[in-house]
Amino acid sequence: MEKNTGHESVNTNRSVMQVLSSENCDIEILENGQTINNFIDNKIEERGSVDNEEAFYVANLDSMFERHLRWLTNLPRVKPFYAVKCNNTPAVIQMLSALGTGFDCASKGEIQMALSLGVTPDKIIYAHTTKPRSHIKYACAHGVDLMTFDSEDELLKISECHAKAKLVLRIAVDDSNSLVRLSSKFGARLDTVEKLLERAGELDLEVIGVSFHVGSGCTDSLTFKQAITDARHVFDIASLLGFQMRLLDIGGGFSAIGDFQMKFQEFSEVINGALDKFFPPDSGVQIIAEPGRYYVESAFTLAVNVIAKRVDIDHMAEHNNGEENSSDRMMYYINDGVYGSLNTIINDPVQTVVAPYLHKAVEGSEQRYRSVIWGPTCDSIDKITENYWIPELDVGDWLLIDNMGAYSVSVTTTFNGFENAQIYPVVTAETWHTLNLCHTYSIIH
Ligand SMILES: Cc1ncc(COP(=O)(O)O)c(C=O)c1O
């Protein structure tokens, strides 16, 4: 394994190294056939040798690269602007920057972070419709011109703070088939857009496009079709009012794990069909999207430590007159929970269930016990799983949890003084070399 210092591993091309090498970005390159699993084993062993049980993540950048290639294959006309809010780990931003994506930032802080990691302002969309004045001024001062709006008051603020902004009108869409519905909070209704656009004209503001977000955990591809149809309608109104419309932003809401694996393919086909019908390539309209979850969901694996254990005696007594039998319930306490990395269990309707598994090898025949896994804090909502059948664990054992990249590290707290899990970004040497070759021949942008 080799540290990415920017000198040792790749000499052929500097561009990817320049993007991925910085003080903030500590990527390990896995050499000599080392796998992510080997890396996790080593980290756990290392921690054991220094009596350190702190939870950690491994961020698998290969997974993000694969997702990007899949995006380019499935949605070739749609340029992704990664939603920084989903996971703001510097290595994630830098990897995506190296892959040539743009970025959706929701605040001054996110813009600041992207710029500090080498993202150029023309690759940022400030995709929040209710912005503090000071954040709009910051965007203006740093050359971030592209931003969304959905109300007259926002137009007034923008005309005061960034009169030269390039505006994207966010519309509300039918998101009734999504697990996280955003159109109840954001987006102009179709029957209000004409008035809004007229107001933008009066204020001498430049509106260049339309955006929407179908919500997270969208289960119906026709939602995208309808939203693209609605966007076409708004383009037509805006064109009649004299605006030079040239950008369509189809938002986020993409996933490719579990049940959504097939859906991504299906969604892509529906989106491509609707784009070709309503915004054909010769229309000159640039199509972008704001995927968050899609890029990072499967890239992060969380390793947690069993810090305490007890048998649920009350439960046994209540149901079995104190005799031990198969309904015994084990209680385990791990060092990360719903106030930390596992907050999705209570905050994110798309990921309310996680499936921890033992890091150490387990025989298939080993007896399993009904178990509850709790997080470390003093709060009883800090529960990870209930009625979970696993072999008996010992204090000090490690559990792994996959698919922990979305809305985990960016939402975490330090409630009760428990520290956030450290993040180790890794990339295999094969992917690292491929990335450099791709850059050399400009085939990933
Ligand atoms: C404006 C906007 N864009 C993009 C996203 C990313 O959505 P997802 O992670 O579902 O792709 C969100 C998520 O809330 C959002 O609010």
Side-chain angles (χ1 to χ4, degrees):
M1 175 189 323
E2 198 176 316
K3 260 263 190 282
N4 165 25
T5 59
H7 314 295
E8 308 122 62
S9 54
V10 180
N11 298 316
T12 49
N13 181 305
R14 307 255 342 141
S15 53
V16 171
M17 281 169 19
Q18 277 161 359
V19 179
L20 289 177
S21 307
S22 94
E23 284 156 22
N24 297 332
C25 176
D26 212 6
I27 299 172
E28 301 248 10
I29 300 170
L30 304 183
E31 295 284 353
N32 305 324
Q34 278 243 22
T35 64
I36 303 280
N37 287 343
N38 299 147
F39 182 87
I40 294 174
D41 294 347
N42 291 342
K43 278 288 162 224
I44 286 177
E45 205 180 306
E46 230 173 85
R47 272 169 158 61
S49 67
V50 292
D51 221 7
N52 172 2
E53 79 274 272
E54 271 161 30
F56 66 92
Y57 284 101
V58 175
N60 174 5
L61 302 187
D62 285 34
S63 159
M64 292 175 58
F65 182 48
E66 281 156 26
R67 283 288 168 107
H68 185 60
L69 295 180
R70 202 154 145 198
W71 181 281
L72 297 183
T73 307
N74 282 274
L75 292 164
R77 291 189 56 205
V78 186
K79 183 173 166 97
F81 277 57
Y82 170 69
V84 173
K85 63 181 82 62
C86 185
N87 184 324
N88 57 2
T89 303
V92 164
I93 314 273
Q94 293 191 291
M95 176 70 178
L96 289 171
S97 188
L99 291 173
T101 75
F103 294 89
D104 149 13
C105 296
S107 63
K108 173 182 168 180
E110 287 188 355
I111 295 173
Q112 224 162 16
M113 180 180 204
L115 294 176
S116 76
L117 293 169
V119 176
T120 51
D122 58 307
K123 292 211 154 182
I124 294 175
I125 178 168
Y126 187 175
H128 201 318
T129 57
T130 51
K131 299 173 278 298
R133 268 177 218 277
S134 58
H135 293 213
I136 301 173
K137 285 183 183 164
Y138 180 85
C140 179
H142 290 82
V144 175
D145 297 334
L146 196 57
M147 57 185 65
T148 59
F149 75 100
D150 65 1
S151 69
E152 185 177 342
D153 280 294
E154 199 66 12
L155 285 174
L156 290 171
K157 267 190 290 171
I158 294 169
S159 75
E160 231 180 74
C161 305
H162 194 349
K164 296 276 168 270
K166 308 227 172 307
L167 299 185
V168 177
L169 172 52
R170 178 161 169 183
I171 54 171
V173 294
D174 175 8
D175 56 6
S176 52
N177 287 307
S178 299
L179 295 171
V180 180
R181 301 179 66 175
L182 299 172
S183 286
S184 55
K185 184 170 179 183
F186 303 109
R189 285 204 332 257
L190 283 188
D191 57 3
T192 66
V193 298
E194 188 166 352
K195 227 174 132 215
L196 265 181
L197 287 166
E198 281 169 357
R199 190 74 184 108
E202 285 162 18
L203 291 166
D204 208 16
L205 290 168
E206 189 184 8
V207 180
I208 65 155
V210 172
S211 75
F212 59 78
H213 194 305
V214 298
S216 265
C218 178
T219 53
D220 186 358
S221 54
L222 294 181
T223 305
F224 271 105
K225 188 174 180 186
Q226 185 57 51
I228 292 170
T229 311
D230 292 349
R232 178 70 255 172
H233 179 59
V234 179
F235 261 67
D236 293 341
I237 296 173
S239 299
L240 282 176
L241 291 172
F243 292 103
Q244 305 291 311
M245 299 291 277
R246 49 189 187 275
L247 184 87
L248 172 66
D249 175 355
I250 64 170
F254 303 89
S255 172
I257 47 174
D259 295 344
F260 290 101
Q261 206 151 6
M262 292 308 294
K263 289 234 174 271
F264 181 62
Q265 177 98 16
E266 180 197 326
F267 279 28
S268 301
E269 281 162 19
V270 170
I271 290 168
N272 292 334
L275 290 178
D276 286 346
K277 180 171 175 191
F278 295 110
F279 297 92
D282 64 7
S283 66
V285 173
Q286 190 197 357
I287 318 290
I288 69 168
E290 301 164 2
R293 189 182 299 278
Y294 171 83
Y295 270 100
V296 288
E297 56 189 1
S298 58
F300 280 54
T301 294
L302 178 67
V304 294
N305 192 262
V306 178
I307 52 170
K309 164 184 179 180
R310 71 190 178 96
V311 179
D312 188 4
I313 305 282
D314 290 348
H315 178 88
M316 283 164 33
E318 190 184 323
H319 294 287
N320 310 313
N321 300 322
E323 289 168 29
E324 271 197 16
N325 67 17
S326 63
S327 67
D328 294 352
R329 200 165 73 144
M330 308 300 292
M331 307 252 266
Y332 300 108
Y333 301 78
I334 59 174
N335 55 353
D336 206 341
V338 305
Y339 288 97
S341 308
L342 295 156
N343 73 80
T344 64
I345 291 169
I346 53 171
N347 286 334
D348 181 4
V350 182
Q351 198 182 13
T352 53
V353 176
V354 295
Y357 57 94
L358 251 99
H359 165 254
K360 71 183 181 194
V362 179
E363 294 286 335
S365 57
E366 204 162 315
Q367 189 172 351
R368 274 145 214 271
Y369 298 88
R370 194 150 69 92
S371 309
V372 186
I373 302 178
W374 299 94
T377 67
C378 298
D379 194 339
S380 61
I381 67 159
D382 194 2
K383 187 194 285 178
I384 314 305
T385 64
E386 185 148 32
N387 292 328
Y388 198 60
W389 290 85
I390 40 173
E392 183 168 3
L393 306 178
D394 293 315
V395 170
D397 279 348
W398 287 88
L399 297 172
L400 302 180
I401 308 175
D402 293 332
N403 300 322
M404 283 303 303
Y407 303 105
S408 49
V409 300
S410 53
V411 188
T412 188
T413 76
T414 53
F415 182 49
N416 274 210
F418 288 99
E419 281 176 22
N420 295 151
Q422 194 176 345
I423 302 167
Y424 298 106
V426 299
V427 64
T428 60
E430 295 76 36
T431 295
W432 181 252
H433 290 293
T434 309
L435 264 170
N436 278 283
L437 284 175
C438 288
H439 252 263
T440 306
Y441 297 106
S442 295
I443 51 178
I444 46 175
H445 288 192

